[in-house]
Amino acid sequence: MKLPAAVLASTIAFTPLVAAAQAPAQTSNVPKLGTCVTCHGRDGIGTSPVFPNLAGQKSLYMVQQLELFRSGARKSEVMNVVAKPLTDAEIEALAAYYEGLDPGK
């Protein structure tokens, strides 16, 4: 079943509070991680086959893609909403976090 983008975006918007409370100490310094783990997982493995794995993804690629989502140049109903409020520093932190994860999990 495909969820409407508005429903998925609403769910993602409320998830950071719960995810932040459950976050291990090493991830507490990664801004906005709670939003990402909803779909991409804390370990960087997508929580559904429709969400890509981010573990081990090169940070330069992730930064470029998040910037494209943020500007709207790359279209995605969900990712455009999620990326829009991200600062450059938050994008860098998220990209570094996911690059540092083992893709073999």
Side-chain angles (χ1 to χ4, degrees):
M1 180 174 101
K2 185 177 176 184
L3 292 175
V7 172
L8 188 54
S10 305
T11 302
I12 290 170
F14 293 108
T15 301
L17 299 175
V18 174
Q22 298 170 347
Q26 71 270 18
T27 63
S28 63
N29 63 342
V30 181
K32 309 293 178 156
L33 182 60
T35 302
C36 301
V37 301
T38 303
C39 299
H40 301 290
R42 185 168 305 284
D43 61 357
I45 306 301
T47 59
S48 163
V50 299
F51 304 128
N53 296 340
L54 299 181
Q57 184 63 262
K58 300 293 183 192
S59 62
L60 177 60
Y61 175 78
M62 286 191 59
V63 166
Q64 290 171 340
Q65 297 312 303
L66 285 169
E67 288 174 346
L68 290 171
F69 283 129
R70 181 176 63 185
S71 72
R74 182 171 177 187
K75 303 294 183 202
S76 166
E77 289 183 48
V78 173
M79 285 303 301
N80 293 139
V81 171
V82 171
K84 190 168 184 78
L86 295 176
T87 66
D88 288 345
E90 289 168 336
I91 287 174
E92 295 275 342
L94 289 165
Y97 173 76
Y98 279 111
E99 181 179 46
L101 296 177
D102 180 6
K105 283 189 166 186

